[in-house]
Amino acid sequence: ATFGGVRAVSFSGDGRNLNLTLNPYVAGLRSQLTVAYATIGALADRVATLQQQMAMLLAQASTSLHNQLSFSSLSPEVSSNVCTYLGAQDYVKNVGLMDWKSCMRQASKYGAALGPSYYTMGYGAGGAWRSHRFGSVAAVDPYYDSYESAPIDMLLNCVLARDNRYDMGDNTATLSNTVVYDGQTWHYQDFGNQYADECDRLASQAGATIITPWTIGLTSETNWRLKSVGHGLYSYMTSPTTADVEFVSDCTGTARSSLQPCMVGYVDD
């Protein structure tokens, strides 16, 4: 048969044998369709893979504790710290009585640090958890050059804090290491020697708190900085069970602490 001068189909025999002869144009279309079907199949596979990856990310996001809630939603107060470098203050909020692990979860949930109570909100001696932990006990407020601790299952005030020099939403910096200790997943990073104000900044930008290696079950032979308590006092751990404090009496806002090792971290479950 001929259509518009193009031979599309030819017949031979008695009709029981039909020979179909495709012209080059039709054959080209068929080839293109074959390629298109293959491309569509590959795209469908890619879409399915992306859907699986999205489901995994959503599942991880739903179980991740970190930065679930905005710290500003707590309506925190400005601390009464004085004699700090460049006049830095903390936004602080007591979120209630709880054990140490629960307090660390609260800090992670709000992307905040554990703040000392003695020079912030006046909750009294031994009134709040600090971030340093050693085995079954953790540091509590207040202390100067001595170390005070309590069993981690004891109920104490949980005071959250963030450096007021940085936006409360600016707390998503990534920390480079992960470790599981005592049933909790920790993300952490050792930033080496830092001034107290710089260590506070690094913690705030990661939505983390200043910790020590002992907090997450590691060991160390060096000093480790703790969250500064203000009023020119900068504390640090000298061993798992001993602490020291540095007093900087210059209240002009230009005096800094000494350099001490700085580690920050947060729990994610």
Side-chain angles (χ1 to χ4, degrees):
T2 301
F3 301 93
V6 178
R7 188 183 180 203
V9 181
S10 64
F11 299 94
S12 64
D14 58 5
R16 288 175 296 180
N17 296 317
L18 179 63
N19 295 324
L20 300 178
T21 303
L22 300 176
N23 62 46
Y25 175 72
V26 175
L29 286 177
R30 184 176 183 180
S31 176
Q32 292 176 31
L33 284 172
T34 300
V35 173
Y37 286 138
T39 302
I40 291 171
L43 288 173
D45 290 341
R46 179 58 178 161
V47 168
T49 300
L50 290 173
Q51 288 175 332
Q52 291 175 351
Q53 292 175 345
M54 180 62 72
M56 291 176 62
L57 288 173
L58 289 173
Q60 291 174 359
S62 66
T63 58
S64 176
L65 186 69
H66 189 233
N67 280 337
Q68 279 189 353
L69 300 173
S70 167
F71 185 59
S72 61
S73 68
L74 293 173
S75 299
E77 305 171 35
V78 178
S79 69
S80 60
N81 293 354
V82 297
C83 299
T84 56
Y85 179 67
L86 299 181
Q89 303 287 312
D90 280 328
Y91 291 113
V92 291
K93 184 69 175 182
N94 184 351
V95 292
L97 296 171
M98 60 193 73
D99 61 66
W100 185 86
K101 277 190 170 184
S102 296
C103 187
M104 296 307 300
R105 290 190 187 99
Q106 287 294 308
S108 179
K109 184 185 296 185
Y110 287 99
L114 290 196
S117 67
Y118 192 67
Y119 284 108
T120 54
M121 302 175 71
Y123 291 122
W129 290 115
R130 302 208 70 180
S131 58
H132 169 67
R133 174 186 172 183
F134 183 56
S136 62
V137 298
V140 297
D141 264 349
Y143 59 81
Y144 295 98
D145 56 356
S146 62
Y147 170 74
E148 295 181 25
S149 64
I152 60 172
D153 58 357
M154 187 173 178
L155 301 182
L156 291 174
N157 286 293
C158 181
V159 179
L160 306 185
R162 273 188 61 81
D163 193 319
N164 74 340
R165 294 173 297 171
Y166 308 100
D167 186 89
M168 291 189 195
D170 181 20
N171 58 355
T172 58
T174 302
L175 301 180
S176 61
N177 302 293
T178 301
V179 67
V180 176
Y181 174 58
D182 193 21
Q184 290 185 305
T185 300
W186 282 86
H187 301 285
Y188 72 98
Q189 188 164 341
D190 175 1
F191 287 100
N193 287 336
Q194 298 288 339
Y195 295 108
D197 61 279
E198 279 295 291
C199 198
D200 283 342
R201 176 184 67 81
L202 292 165
S204 290
Q205 290 183 336
T209 191
I210 298 172
I211 62 173
T212 68
W214 303 292
T215 301
I216 53 178
L218 305 179
T219 59
S220 177
E221 299 297 327
T222 64
N223 298 340
W224 288 92
R225 183 170 297 289
L226 294 177
K227 173 73 176 168
S228 58
V229 298
H231 292 258
L233 295 171
Y234 301 98
S235 53
Y236 52 91
M237 298 301 300
T238 56
S239 80
T241 57
T242 58
D244 204 348
V245 67
E246 173 187 7
F247 179 56
V248 180
S249 60
D250 183 356
C251 286
T252 64
T254 59
R256 271 180 152 175
S257 69
S258 63
L259 291 167
Q260 297 289 346
C262 167
M263 179 179 286
V264 307
Y266 61 85
V267 296
D268 205 16
D269 56 14

